[in-house]
Amino acid sequence: MRYSGWQVIAKGLRGQRGWQPAWRDPAPKLAYQVIIIGAGGHGLATAYYLAKNHGITDVAVLERGWLGGGNVGRNTTIVRANYHLDGNTEFYSHSLKLWEGLEQELNYNVMMSQRGIINLAHSDGQMDFYARRGNAMRMQGDDAELLDRDRVRRAYPGLNHDNPRFPILGGLRQRRAGTARHDAVAWGFARGADRRGVDLVQNCEVTGFRIERGRVTGVETTRGFIGAGKVGMAVAGRTSQVAQMAGLRLPIESHVLQAFVTEGLKPVLPGVVTFGMGHFYISQSDKGGLVYGGDLDFYNSYAARGNLPMIEHVHEAGMALMPMLGRARMLRHWGGIMDMSMDGSPIIDRTPIDGLYLNGGWCYGGFKATPASGWCFAHLIATDRPSPHAMRLRLDRFETGHVLDEEGTGAQPNKH
Amino acid sequence: MRLTCPLCGDRDSREFSYLGSATLSDRPADDAPFDAWHEYVHLRDNPAGPNAELWHHVSGCSAWLHVVRDTRNHQVLSIRLAEEGA
Amino acid sequence: MRLETGGLIDRAAPLGFRFDGREYSGFQGDTLASALLAGGVRLMGRSFKYHRPRGVLSAGSDEPNALMEVGTGARRRPNTRATVQELYEGLEARSQNRWPSLAWDAGQVSDLLAPFLGAGFYYKTFMWPAAFWERVYEPLIRRAAGLGRLSGKRDPDACDKAFAHCDLLVIGAGPAGLMAALMAAEAGARVILADEDCRPGGRLLAEREQVDGAPGHAWAAELWDALAQMPNVTPMPRTTVTGAYDGGTFGALERVAEHMARPPEAAPRLTFWRIAARRAILAAGALERPVAFPHNDRPGVMLAGAARAYANRWAVAPGRRVAVFTNNDDGWRTARDLSAQGIEVAALIDSRAGVTPPEGPWQLMTGTHVTDTRGRLGLRAVQTRDGGGRHRWLEVDTLAVSGGWNPALHLTCHMNGRPRWNPAIHAFVPASDAVPGLDVAGAALGQFSTRGAMKSGQYRARKALEALGFEPPSIPVPNAEDTPPRLSPLWQVPRTRGRAWLDFQNDVTVKDVALAHAENFRSVEHMKRYTTLGMATDQGKSANVGALGVMADLAGREIAQIGTTTFRPPYTPIDIAALGAGADGRGFAPHRLPPSHAYGLERGAPTVEAGLWHRAAYYPREGETHWRESCDREARMVRQAVGVCDVTSLGKIDVQGTDAAAFLDRVYANTMSTLKPGRVRYGLMLRDDGFVMDDGTCARLGPEHFVVTTTTAAAGQVMAHLEFCAQCLWPQLDVALVSVTEAWAQCAIAGPKSRDLVDGLLDAPLGAFPFMACGEVSVRGVGARLFRISFSGEHAYELAVPARYGDALFRRLVDRAETLGGGPYGMEALNVLRIEKGLLTHAELHGRTTADDLGLGRMVKPGSIGHRMRERAGLSGRWREQLVGLEAVEPGARLNGGARLVAAGAAQVRQMDQGYVTSVCWSPQLDRYIALGFLRDGRNRTGEVLDIVDHMRSGAAQAQVVPLPFFDPEGGRLRA
């Protein structure tokens, strides 16, 4: 069934009867050409592009819980392509282009809203750094502009531009950046993959790999063994745990990143604002809630929840940046498990085991990467060669030293 | 979260900073094979369960601590001074 | 309408207030909601999606409907629940999310479109044409969405944060909490007793029950007062425990002054508490749940317990003619109490057949359901259907509904605990040990009778006290009502037509849940996300369990099989001002000032941030109108005469011990053990991944005594790193580290006349003091340290004195410098001088540079940190970007930091990128812009002309690669 305004009206006139399930609930078959572990955004997008770009539809996506229940359903929904290192720039650039056509591609309104992002600068050194980043973005073919103090003041009147501690000197803006409705991204890819014949199998936890003579032949699951020619892992947050079942030890730590939303408020913020000196970022959802967050809690965690020191720090940064937030109230806070890689950049690569592929290490960048991650991972699985958009997201870069360390903080994941 | 520093007593976690896995104390010998160095610098067990890790009482006595903590629920299982060894 | 008698209000203290511009009055003890109801106001808000007229549903913090803007100007607080806002004189409240008025809201047009706006409709439309989302659809949606308005201004009232510690935290001062607190208090434990209400008693405040022969609220107040007298008890009224965190830490919000127009002098509006508790007892009571039936959302339909609370606690008749609709015995009390207060109860409708509700002046209707309601802005009639299927309309203006009670177990979910369905009481109860150290007691555990709750509180307190090592006292349980109510589950009235609300604020109806089910959004989380049920400001307190019941009905399964409900922190929303207290203005980050700061202020020097320090940028002289004029003058002054600069902010670490030299050999890439006492050496530190961490100097003051300096920004990081090396890597080495950054004030004295200046200042003649010498000296009897080091390329010194003499030293140095034709210089000139010499800061040491990139590869020796991993292929080679000097090709053309470089004539695309510019200055010495940058294979490209790519700012089009340093390459001035 194709979604459209006409359908909404037609079904509305019939009391909302006649809608079909967004996806089937198939029982897993005995074997598939490709199994994707993890029905998060990346796993679902991978399945979608395997079918769409490569014609591979004998695919199952296996999900321990409910689809879209991992980080795709608990992030702060920001989409941007404002990286400065080769390897990241071209990948995220490709992702932003895919975002721009995603509604029409999926026939699903993921509410990609290009209301822009600004990274605020508070010192000349920061302005230079943002200029460098902006130039890298422009050379990649993406948009970027460096705003001076007055232009930031006009574009974002709600901020404390004259904070005595961190006065705002300017900022780097990307107009094509914005936000998207996170759940809809998972559901849109799920529906798209399902319509192309992919089996989405929920409540099916992978408990082990079957590996024969260095080649993966299938996975053990809570619903029995399922054979596969190729297996892709897309389980960011839990990558170490799943890879360990295949005997792999990875350059990844799992950390908790918290996020926050306020009660609904009339619009006060046009786009996404990041306050790097405070490790703080904020946007306002279409529903009116201010969605914001900050840094990691700093310790390894699989608990998907954090603690007060970082909660307070984030709110302190909010008060420093936007004193008008004082009488807004934080409604809910939660945490996601981040796959923090040793250089802060992701990995899309083969593993030492034939037929087993790795997609992980997304740090905080996973949501905006969703379409390109699926696109590139599908390309890798289908062709056994890296996508041109993800040539440098290799697993061996840590051994060779060709790391992609955007923050320059070295092999300490909680600093990225 | 709260940690009991062996020197200072029970303190809020905000007094501490976190480095990572306690394997960072087991630095390979200078002439160890390259693989050992790669493992030391980059690879982590990253367990979902008890994890031996290094914390620094940076806003306290400056002691580095060897902490065993369950990453599933943040329960602290043991703490000792890092310099005292296992 | 106010009742003649009764209520916990002070009729001698009337309070005037305004709602939507109209004046009303209430009494001390009222909430805004009770006072509005007393004033005959039933329409208090509009729903989020359909802008349906709404009245008050509850009498507590679970209120989804009666949200208002309270206060005016910068004190306006949106989304305030009228049910918990205490009334004060002059309170100004305004309805929200409506236009032009609450009674006539244009937004209600969406209610007419409701047939088309089912769950998730927006995922299926608004996609064509593509560009219309940002331009048309989304702006419309954003304008219509949202609830209240922020003032847009800085809050004039301050908030605060604080720590508290206790043996036992008791959350809730109802029957269970009070008994638990009493037990612990008598045992001698340090007790904190927190309750979100302004009065103790919990549910007792809303009931007409007796405890030990006295009114329940009086019993609670007396016990509370007695506890407050005990030195080991801290009662915390108006304090909501909002979240459970690790290690027995709880967050709590105390509303210190929200029951008044503004905080008293020096008091905060709110205090956010972090309570560290060895044990805790959750006695938060229970929340009543509604029943879904068509048009159950009209103003006048409220929870039965709330109707009772308004009558009993606030002496307010919720309406003139009331019907009660219940599926449990507790609902009967509403009929009883309202009637006893003289309010007409038209009917007691019980969904259960075969029960015998109490007789009274009401019509008894058992086995009967409410199947519809009427009334546009307020309830006028309800339709009932009896067991025989006969419908009739009943004229009432209020319907009190009870679907049973849900334990307020929210805090037990905060650490991922999953509540468990208890089929005996048809409610979720907390999982045991969901939060370490937290026990649950009373109604929060499903003990719904008063005496049962008291016993439960006592029992849990006894267990907690035993765990804490206290002897539990023996205390008799008071006499109180002891009959748990019976209940027959009813989530939705079956066989009805019309929209039946589950989530009132977000307008989620039974049909929406059914649609989600039909579209295969069948896991609880999918249903919630697809319909937005439970996402409103009450976080599903009234909706979640009912929706699970509806899902169970749809699937033909038991609730326990459908899934569970969970709640994230906080229990109720927390003002950002409270969690972020103290951070407005300067408060967010430390603000460190060097010893010369006062002097700088006197001279009108602007400051620039370096790390956490604020250092003088330049010292303007009369007639100078642009920073460049001052900077150029100061840089020339240093080159020609002498300049003085406060460099205190550089990190200083004192390293001592018999193994200090061996230690430094390992942490520095280069060798320090060969350094002779009285000498200084440049030092480069790598990380173990082979990249540069920091640079600085290392001075050997004695055989076992070194002082190392770090860059300002990396001081803390380097100190922690060295402590790590000393304690974790090589604990066998005898080395002790102390950060002495704050202990010593340090000034650079640079320029050809620096020796004259220093020599004249010291108590003894300077004598031979070659480049890179160091030693102890004396300045007017004060022990000082002198270093012959230079960050300017000039003959220069750094002189350190104990920090308390820093201001005096700086002034003396400046005075003497001025007599020599020099003066102070700031960060801008310092930057010019170091760029002219090709020296580095964190603009170059940005964490991705290697020693080789900087041309320092040969410094790195085996055995030092980082030397093994720098052997990796990716860390060296001509493809890497290497440090170079750059000059603009066009005379006078400006270079910009952050510009990128491509080969002359090459396409300006990523694939052709060759490097970038890091540091730029106008060199008064060379009379042109110069820059440092990184360029692929840069050391082999001297003389090459490159195209500059700068889309961000305007500037030079081309730059030439030149050798470093730009100035005095032989270093003659340095050694002179």
Side-chain angles (χ1 to χ4, degrees), chain C residues 8 56 323 391 454 471 719 739 766 827 883 901 930:
Chain C
L8 304 176
V56 68
H391 290 94
M454 289 172 164
E471 177 82 18
M719 182 66 197
S739 168
L766 182 54
M827 288 286 281
L883 183 71
L901 306 167
I930 58 172

PDB file of all heavy atoms in Angstrom, chain C residues 8 56 323 391 454 471 719 739 766 827 883 901 930:
ATOM      1  N   LEU C   8      -9.050  21.603  54.682  1.00  0.00           N
ATOM      2  CA  LEU C   8      -7.791  22.003  55.316  1.00  0.00           C
ATOM      3  C   LEU C   8      -7.361  23.355  54.740  1.00  0.00           C
ATOM      4  O   LEU C   8      -6.265  23.516  54.217  1.00  0.00           O
ATOM      5  CB  LEU C   8      -6.709  20.944  55.089  1.00  0.00           C
ATOM      6  CG  LEU C   8      -7.087  19.537  55.561  1.00  0.00           C
ATOM      7  CD1 LEU C   8      -5.994  18.532  55.195  1.00  0.00           C
ATOM      8  CD2 LEU C   8      -7.327  19.531  57.063  1.00  0.00           C
ATOM      9  N   VAL C  56     -10.026  19.725  35.012  1.00  0.00           N
ATOM     10  CA  VAL C  56      -9.035  19.063  35.840  1.00  0.00           C
ATOM     11  C   VAL C  56      -9.402  17.582  35.976  1.00  0.00           C
ATOM     12  O   VAL C  56     -10.570  17.227  36.107  1.00  0.00           O
ATOM     13  CB  VAL C  56      -8.937  19.774  37.208  1.00  0.00           C
ATOM     14  CG1 VAL C  56     -10.196  19.578  38.026  1.00  0.00           C
ATOM     15  CG2 VAL C  56      -7.699  19.349  37.958  1.00  0.00           C
ATOM     16  N   ALA C 323     -22.235  12.148  39.336  1.00  0.00           N
ATOM     17  CA  ALA C 323     -22.384  10.696  39.266  1.00  0.00           C
ATOM     18  C   ALA C 323     -21.012  10.068  39.487  1.00  0.00           C
ATOM     19  O   ALA C 323     -19.992  10.672  39.150  1.00  0.00           O
ATOM     20  CB  ALA C 323     -22.936  10.273  37.917  1.00  0.00           C
ATOM     21  N   HIS C 391     -30.052   1.794  27.411  1.00  0.00           N
ATOM     22  CA  HIS C 391     -29.352   3.067  27.558  1.00  0.00           C
ATOM     23  C   HIS C 391     -30.253   4.096  28.190  1.00  0.00           C
ATOM     24  O   HIS C 391     -31.472   4.089  27.978  1.00  0.00           O
ATOM     25  CB  HIS C 391     -28.897   3.590  26.187  1.00  0.00           C
ATOM     26  CG  HIS C 391     -27.784   2.794  25.587  1.00  0.00           C
ATOM     27  ND1 HIS C 391     -28.010   1.767  24.721  1.00  0.00           N
ATOM     28  CD2 HIS C 391     -26.445   2.870  25.760  1.00  0.00           C
ATOM     29  CE1 HIS C 391     -26.848   1.223  24.360  1.00  0.00           C
ATOM     30  NE2 HIS C 391     -25.882   1.887  24.981  1.00  0.00           N
ATOM     31  N   MET C 454       0.545   1.097  56.730  1.00  0.00           N
ATOM     32  CA  MET C 454       1.342   1.391  57.933  1.00  0.00           C
ATOM     33  C   MET C 454       2.180   0.180  58.335  1.00  0.00           C
ATOM     34  O   MET C 454       3.361   0.310  58.651  1.00  0.00           O
ATOM     35  CB  MET C 454       0.403   1.776  59.083  1.00  0.00           C
ATOM     36  CG  MET C 454      -0.238   3.142  58.899  1.00  0.00           C
ATOM     37  SD  MET C 454      -1.497   3.382  60.174  1.00  0.00           S
ATOM     38  CE  MET C 454      -1.728   5.146  60.074  1.00  0.00           C
ATOM     39  N   GLU C 471      19.076  -1.189  65.851  1.00  0.00           N
ATOM     40  CA  GLU C 471      18.092  -2.038  66.537  1.00  0.00           C
ATOM     41  C   GLU C 471      16.704  -1.476  66.271  1.00  0.00           C
ATOM     42  O   GLU C 471      16.394  -0.360  66.696  1.00  0.00           O
ATOM     43  CB  GLU C 471      18.394  -2.002  68.035  1.00  0.00           C
ATOM     44  CG  GLU C 471      17.436  -2.761  68.911  1.00  0.00           C
ATOM     45  CD  GLU C 471      17.756  -4.262  68.954  1.00  0.00           C
ATOM     46  OE1 GLU C 471      18.908  -4.633  68.595  1.00  0.00           O
ATOM     47  OE2 GLU C 471      16.881  -5.017  69.334  1.00  0.00           O
ATOM     48  N   MET C 719      49.307  16.485  33.918  1.00  0.00           N
ATOM     49  CA  MET C 719      49.475  16.110  35.331  1.00  0.00           C
ATOM     50  C   MET C 719      48.829  14.746  35.593  1.00  0.00           C
ATOM     51  O   MET C 719      49.428  13.867  36.215  1.00  0.00           O
ATOM     52  CB  MET C 719      48.837  17.188  36.217  1.00  0.00           C
ATOM     53  CG  MET C 719      48.997  16.943  37.702  1.00  0.00           C
ATOM     54  SD  MET C 719      50.733  17.051  38.225  1.00  0.00           S
ATOM     55  CE  MET C 719      50.638  16.218  39.821  1.00  0.00           C
ATOM     56  N   SER C 739      51.632  19.365  41.323  1.00  0.00           N
ATOM     57  CA  SER C 739      51.342  20.493  40.439  1.00  0.00           C
ATOM     58  C   SER C 739      51.613  21.776  41.211  1.00  0.00           C
ATOM     59  O   SER C 739      51.069  21.991  42.289  1.00  0.00           O
ATOM     60  CB  SER C 739      49.882  20.455  39.987  1.00  0.00           C
ATOM     61  OG  SER C 739      49.563  21.682  39.373  1.00  0.00           O
ATOM     62  N   LEU C 766      73.889  38.880  38.259  1.00  0.00           N
ATOM     63  CA  LEU C 766      73.443  37.688  37.529  1.00  0.00           C
ATOM     64  C   LEU C 766      74.615  36.798  37.120  1.00  0.00           C
ATOM     65  O   LEU C 766      74.540  35.575  37.173  1.00  0.00           O
ATOM     66  CB  LEU C 766      72.646  38.129  36.294  1.00  0.00           C
ATOM     67  CG  LEU C 766      72.043  37.028  35.425  1.00  0.00           C
ATOM     68  CD1 LEU C 766      71.187  36.082  36.246  1.00  0.00           C
ATOM     69  CD2 LEU C 766      71.205  37.636  34.314  1.00  0.00           C
ATOM     70  N   MET C 827      48.976  38.407  25.097  1.00  0.00           N
ATOM     71  CA  MET C 827      48.902  37.158  24.335  1.00  0.00           C
ATOM     72  C   MET C 827      49.013  37.379  22.825  1.00  0.00           C
ATOM     73  O   MET C 827      49.537  36.534  22.105  1.00  0.00           O
ATOM     74  CB  MET C 827      47.581  36.458  24.628  1.00  0.00           C
ATOM     75  CG  MET C 827      47.491  35.857  25.992  1.00  0.00           C
ATOM     76  SD  MET C 827      48.481  34.355  26.099  1.00  0.00           S
ATOM     77  CE  MET C 827      47.360  33.208  25.298  1.00  0.00           C
ATOM     78  N   LEU C 883      54.738  20.389   9.100  1.00  0.00           N
ATOM     79  CA  LEU C 883      54.744  21.802   9.497  1.00  0.00           C
ATOM     80  C   LEU C 883      55.561  22.618   8.503  1.00  0.00           C
ATOM     81  O   LEU C 883      56.710  22.276   8.203  1.00  0.00           O
ATOM     82  CB  LEU C 883      55.338  21.941  10.900  1.00  0.00           C
ATOM     83  CG  LEU C 883      55.349  23.364  11.467  1.00  0.00           C
ATOM     84  CD1 LEU C 883      53.938  23.813  11.822  1.00  0.00           C
ATOM     85  CD2 LEU C 883      56.268  23.459  12.677  1.00  0.00           C
ATOM     86  N   LEU C 901      44.817  24.353   1.555  1.00  0.00           N
ATOM     87  CA  LEU C 901      45.826  24.548   0.523  1.00  0.00           C
ATOM     88  C   LEU C 901      45.684  23.483  -0.560  1.00  0.00           C
ATOM     89  O   LEU C 901      45.472  22.301  -0.255  1.00  0.00           O
ATOM     90  CB  LEU C 901      47.232  24.427   1.143  1.00  0.00           C
ATOM     91  CG  LEU C 901      47.487  25.342   2.349  1.00  0.00           C
ATOM     92  CD1 LEU C 901      48.769  24.932   3.073  1.00  0.00           C
ATOM     93  CD2 LEU C 901      47.576  26.794   1.895  1.00  0.00           C
ATOM     94  N   ILE C 930      52.278  36.305   7.896  1.00  0.00           N
ATOM     95  CA  ILE C 930      52.974  35.018   7.871  1.00  0.00           C
ATOM     96  C   ILE C 930      52.087  33.984   8.555  1.00  0.00           C
ATOM     97  O   ILE C 930      51.185  34.338   9.311  1.00  0.00           O
ATOM     98  CB  ILE C 930      54.351  35.084   8.572  1.00  0.00           C
ATOM     99  CG1 ILE C 930      54.177  35.545  10.027  1.00  0.00           C
ATOM    100  CG2 ILE C 930      55.294  36.009   7.813  1.00  0.00           C
ATOM    101  CD1 ILE C 930      55.462  35.462  10.842  1.00  0.00           C
TER     102      ILE C 930
END
